[in-house]
Amino acid sequence: MQSFYTIGVVGHVDHGKTSLVRALTGIDTDRLKEEKERGLSIESGIAPLILSSHLEVSFVDVPGHRDYLKNTIRGLSQVDAFVLVVAANEGIMPQTLEHIQILEIFGVRNGILVITKVDLVDHELVELAELELREAIPESFNLFPQVIKFSAQSGEGKKEFWDAISWLNSQISPKSSEAPFRMWIDQLRVFLGYGTVASGTVQRGSLKEDDLIELLPVKLRIRARSVESHHRKIMKAYPGQRIGVNLTKVNQEEIERGMELVTPDSIKCVPYMNLCIKNFSSDLTLKDKQKVRAYIGTSTYPMQLILLEKKVLSPGEEGYAQLRATESIGILPGDKVLITPLNIPKVVGGGTILEVTQRKARHKLEEPTTKTLHSLNNKNYEEFLSILSSDNPLLDTSQIKDRYFILEERLSAWVARQLEQKAFVKISENQFIRSDIIEFLKSNIVDIINSTLSENPIQISVKKAELIDKLCNNSQYKDLLQKTQVLDLILSELVSNGALEVEDGGYVTTSISVTLPNELAQLSQIIIDFSQKSHINPFSADTIWKSYGRKIDKNQIKKVLNYLRAKRVLVRINDGRFLNSASLEEIKKRIATVIKQKEFFDIHDCKDAFGYGRTVAVPILEYLDRIGFTIRTEYGRKLKNERN
């Protein structure tokens, strides 16, 4: 598969960035009329360079003038590496340093240092510019060992530059093409008869013609009518590739630069993000509740900065904070954020999003919030997950990945260890519950069933819905019980180990012994006696009620009938009437005798066998079919299993 990546070309205004790109690619990235008239870049310009059949890079030539800082930030937010340009005749300038800050905030650390215009000064000034340049670079940056000395006029340094590009390619880690698609929009064009074309750099995943994608944050679903890269139609776009996507059914008013195109439902929009923020300014402070401008991807939003540990971040200091947008935006843990004052084009701070959330961080939440953020920021994932699991009975790994900046392989390894140590129990593909919670719920379930049946002896069993209601009185486990399969898992285990039995669509404990109150015990005996006297004649609650002169509460009769059915003293046949269990066995014997004599039992045999006709007999016969004693054929009923 072909590899693609982008290289940001940065440096102070008029230091030769555009000339360098033109010398390397033959492309003039200053395409606007105003840019040509003023001799400086206003928008970021793109210049592709095919290095081999397997490698293509795109140079992003960003503006060097402070007035166009917004465009510089947008251009650098998507690059994989950088070329830092310093003119030999001027050396380090203010925008040089600011561009270095932007690269550091966005985590772009692989790069090449180039000193341009070496033909304009003597050797000593070139050496001084190199020394000054090396001192300005953070130690965390990974640089090509040689500083390239370049002249656009003579072509000096071009060969060395190609060596540096080859080295740079070996330093860049490939992005996942298997992940869901994501692309921030940095250019928008509308073509008559063709429609809207959104351009950007593929951050992850892939895109093909006619793929369904979602426009965030407006959550508009659209299709990619076609996909192009540098004016060439392509079958499939890959991470790192510069593409233009022709979008279907989207109006110019519905889309703007700074939005993003993603695989549908792959990114949730949230208004708040928690991060560790560093003040990169030399003279500006960051204050709690300050209004700032935040840059994420190619988007920019006014936000409120909430400092979680202190009231002020002085130059060079860092601390945990929450950024609050006025609307929900499509962001992910791990996204980089750059901050400027609301109305001043100057980089003041930035950091990596550690958590995306719908919840405001308030004073009472600040301590646990900063504790988890501290663990994430220091990549102490063991500590982070221990904190998370101690506060939450359920861990949903898909939700953790969506919300927190944690490496998936580290999360999977931690979960595997917890399962091996039996600290957690797996209840679904992505959901795990602490073992101590499982044991607590098991004990509670048995206690609830025992107490419920003891308080109401005539109740046959406790249904699942009733269990949930009573367990949910502890609000801590309400979501756990209502939104997961944990209760089914626990009930199944309790049944399999003999602690519970399934009865009448509910559950009873095998250890409980319920004694009916005297009044109900007497009624129970009355009904048992009545059922024995009725012999093979079915009866109902109404039958008993009338037989005893309507003096017994009919509802109590019904409850005791169901109680006795659950205890298998009685059986309920298909029309809701009852028979004594011994009487049903007698009916079965009589049917078996008839079938043995004539092979079938039909409706005309009822009178001789039972003493009553089809009206009474049919519900009994249908019940016997249902329980698998008999089977109905066109000639009559046969024993389903001759062993019966």
Side-chain angles (χ1 to χ4, degrees):
M1 186 181 75
Q2 192 170 5
S3 297
F4 304 88
Y5 62 88
T6 55
I7 302 174
V9 184
V10 303
H12 195 73
V13 63
D14 201 31
H15 273 211
K17 298 186 298 297
T18 303
S19 298
L20 172 65
V21 172
R22 184 168 51 242
L24 297 172
T25 66
I27 296 172
D28 185 359
T29 54
D30 283 346
R31 64 190 187 280
L32 301 178
K33 181 180 178 182
E34 185 180 356
E35 289 178 321
K36 294 186 180 300
E37 289 175 351
R38 297 180 61 183
L40 55 81
S41 299
I42 297 173
E43 292 277 359
S44 295
I46 310 297
L49 182 64
I50 298 175
L51 296 174
S52 70
S53 59
H54 300 291
L55 178 62
E56 179 180 318
V57 301
S58 296
F59 290 102
V60 181
D61 178 15
V62 301
H65 198 286
R66 185 174 184 176
D67 288 350
Y68 308 110
L69 179 65
K70 179 190 290 189
N71 295 335
T72 301
I73 295 170
R74 281 173 161 165
L76 294 181
S77 68
Q78 306 301 294
V79 302
D80 302 299
F82 68 88
V83 173
L84 177 57
V85 173
V86 171
N89 60 333
E90 289 192 346
I92 294 290
M93 297 292 283
Q95 293 312 111
T96 312
L97 298 175
E98 192 155 49
H99 287 192
I100 292 172
Q101 288 178 344
I102 296 170
L103 293 169
E104 188 171 6
I105 291 169
F106 285 143
V108 184
R109 287 172 165 74
N110 295 311
I112 303 167
L113 304 181
V114 179
I115 297 177
T116 57
K117 304 186 180 183
V118 295
D119 53 315
L120 300 182
V121 298
D122 56 30
H123 178 71
E124 286 75 13
L125 279 179
V126 173
E127 293 299 316
L128 182 60
E130 179 177 348
L131 179 63
E132 191 180 26
L133 180 54
R134 287 190 181 277
E135 288 179 350
I137 297 296
E139 291 183 2
S140 60
F141 279 26
N142 179 35
L143 301 173
F144 181 65
Q146 179 184 351
V147 175
I148 309 298
K149 281 82 171 180
F150 178 79
S151 169
Q153 300 302 317
S154 67
E156 178 186 348
K158 283 184 70 172
K159 179 183 180 303
E160 291 83 355
F161 193 87
W162 297 129
D163 293 338
I165 289 291
S166 178
W167 170 86
L168 200 57
N169 178 48
S170 68
Q171 304 300 305
I172 298 174
S173 300
K175 298 175 181 176
S176 173
S177 60
E178 301 302 319
F181 174 77
R182 189 187 195 192
M183 184 191 85
W184 291 96
I185 298 171
D186 58 28
Q187 289 182 12
L188 273 176
R189 289 163 291 175
V190 179
F191 297 95
L192 189 64
Y194 192 65
T196 302
V197 175
S199 299
T201 303
V202 180
Q203 292 303 296
R204 67 178 195 182
S206 59
L207 183 71
K208 304 189 300 297
E209 181 180 315
D210 204 41
D211 276 355
L212 182 66
I213 46 181
E214 187 175 20
L215 180 65
L216 297 181
V218 294
K219 301 180 182 179
L220 178 66
R221 296 199 173 189
I222 47 185
R223 289 198 178 273
R225 180 183 285 130
S226 63
V227 185
E228 291 189 355
S229 179
H230 302 301
H231 309 294
R232 306 186 312 270
K233 188 172 182 179
I234 57 175
M235 298 300 294
K236 190 175 184 179
Y238 293 97
Q241 192 170 17
R242 288 287 310 178
I243 63 169
V245 186
N246 182 213
L247 303 171
T248 63
K249 298 180 181 179
V250 57
N251 298 324
Q252 191 174 355
E253 297 78 20
E254 295 176 304
I255 187 169
E256 60 185 45
R257 183 165 63 168
M259 291 184 173
E260 54 186 322
L261 297 173
V262 302
T263 299
D265 298 323
S266 62
I267 297 179
K268 296 176 182 176
C269 292
V270 296
Y272 313 128
M273 62 211 76
N274 297 330
L275 69 162
C276 180
I277 190 168
K278 181 178 180 180
N279 186 337
F280 283 87
S281 173
S282 60
D283 58 346
L284 297 178
T285 60
L286 285 169
K287 300 175 183 178
D288 184 36
K289 299 183 180 178
Q290 180 179 342
K291 298 291 193 299
V292 297
R293 183 166 296 282
Y295 293 82
I296 308 170
T298 60
S299 67
T300 174
Y301 294 95
M303 294 191 187
Q304 185 179 39
L305 175 68
I306 305 297
L307 297 178
L308 300 180
E309 297 175 298
K310 51 185 75 174
K311 296 300 179 183
V312 175
L313 274 184
S314 299
E317 287 189 327
E318 63 179 22
Y320 298 107
Q322 182 171 88
L323 282 171
R324 297 176 181 173
T326 56
E327 59 184 294
S328 291
I329 56 180
I331 50 177
L332 287 174
D335 283 350
K336 308 295 183 181
V337 183
L338 184 145
I339 293 172
T340 70
L342 198 58
N343 298 310
I344 303 174
K346 184 175 182 178
V347 175
V348 66
T352 301
I353 296 176
L354 301 173
E355 178 187 6
V356 297
T357 179
Q358 298 279 2
R359 187 174 63 179
K360 289 183 178 180
R362 302 186 186 277
H363 291 296
K364 65 178 181 179
L365 296 174
E366 286 175 6
E367 185 178 345
T369 300
T370 54
K371 199 172 180 181
T372 56
L373 295 179
H374 182 73
S375 300
L376 285 171
N377 191 51
N378 291 304
K379 296 183 172 55
N380 189 343
Y381 300 125
E382 289 278 344
E383 180 180 81
F384 162 70
L385 291 165
S386 295
I387 294 170
L388 200 64
S389 62
S390 65
D391 293 336
N392 299 278
L394 176 75
L395 286 186
D396 188 314
T397 53
S398 61
Q399 290 182 3
I400 291 173
K401 287 183 289 186
D402 286 345
R403 180 172 175 178
Y404 298 102
F405 183 40
I406 182 170
L407 298 175
E408 185 171 352
E409 57 268 26
R410 297 289 294 274
L411 175 60
S412 299
W414 184 85
V415 169
R417 285 196 300 274
Q418 299 304 306
L419 292 175
E420 186 179 347
Q421 295 167 10
K422 302 189 184 306
F424 275 78
V425 175
K426 183 175 182 178
I427 60 173
S428 70
E429 186 62 32
N430 297 309
Q431 293 181 321
F432 305 85
I433 186 171
R434 291 202 327 253
S435 297
D436 62 311
I437 302 300
I438 291 279
E439 293 306 315
F440 173 80
L441 289 173
K442 279 183 184 178
S443 176
N444 266 19
I445 287 168
V446 171
D447 289 345
I448 286 171
I449 292 174
N450 279 337
S451 63
T452 302
L453 297 182
S454 296
E455 291 167 5
N456 188 9
I458 206 164
Q459 183 172 333
I460 308 305
S461 62
V462 180
K463 301 291 193 292
K464 179 181 171 183
E466 186 178 358
L467 273 173
I468 291 176
D469 285 342
K470 293 187 175 182
L471 286 166
C472 283
N473 288 335
N474 185 338
S475 59
Q476 182 182 0
Y477 303 120
K478 187 172 183 177
D479 284 349
L480 177 67
L481 293 164
Q482 292 180 339
K483 297 180 181 179
T484 73
Q485 301 170 5
V486 66
L487 185 58
D488 291 332
L489 181 144
I490 292 173
L491 289 172
S492 175
E493 188 174 330
L494 288 171
V495 170
S496 66
N497 66 25
L500 295 184
E501 288 181 353
V502 178
E503 188 71 70
D504 192 37
Y507 297 89
V508 297
T509 58
T510 54
S511 59
I512 191 171
S513 177
V514 176
T515 303
L516 290 177
N518 287 336
E519 183 183 348
L520 293 178
Q522 291 174 8
L523 179 56
S524 174
Q525 191 57 53
I526 288 172
I527 292 174
I528 291 171
D529 292 343
F530 187 89
S531 71
Q532 291 171 343
K533 291 176 182 176
S534 298
H535 194 36
I536 62 171
N537 294 287
F539 58 89
S540 65
D542 193 63
T543 309
I544 299 171
W545 180 61
K546 290 177 179 177
S547 296
Y548 285 87
R550 297 179 172 86
K551 295 178 181 179
I552 304 174
D553 187 330
K554 190 188 289 188
N555 286 328
Q556 291 288 72
I557 295 173
K558 289 179 180 179
K559 288 179 180 179
V560 175
L561 282 171
N562 282 326
Y563 171 80
L564 292 172
R565 180 190 62 81
K567 295 298 182 182
R568 297 181 174 83
V569 176
L570 304 179
V571 294
R572 184 169 58 196
I573 57 178
N574 284 11
D575 62 352
R577 289 184 293 170
F578 293 82
L579 284 167
N580 187 282
S581 296
S583 300
L584 182 67
E585 291 303 313
E586 174 63 26
I587 290 173
K588 289 164 74 173
K589 285 179 184 178
R590 295 186 186 189
I591 290 173
T593 300
V594 172
I595 292 174
K596 187 175 180 181
Q597 293 172 351
K598 51 179 287 193
E599 295 188 6
F600 297 98
F601 185 99
D602 63 35
I603 204 70
H604 304 292
D605 296 314
C606 293
K607 192 71 174 176
D608 291 336
F610 309 138
Y612 42 75
R614 63 185 299 154
T615 302
V616 177
V618 166
I620 299 174
L621 296 176
E622 288 176 347
Y623 173 78
L624 293 174
D625 291 342
R626 181 163 62 84
I627 66 172
F629 178 74
T630 52
I631 184 170
R632 188 176 179 181
T633 71
E634 60 180 313
Y635 303 108
R637 284 175 168 81
K638 295 181 65 174
L639 297 180
K640 188 171 183 180
N641 186 336
E642 291 299 327
R643 288 175 294 178
N644 287 326

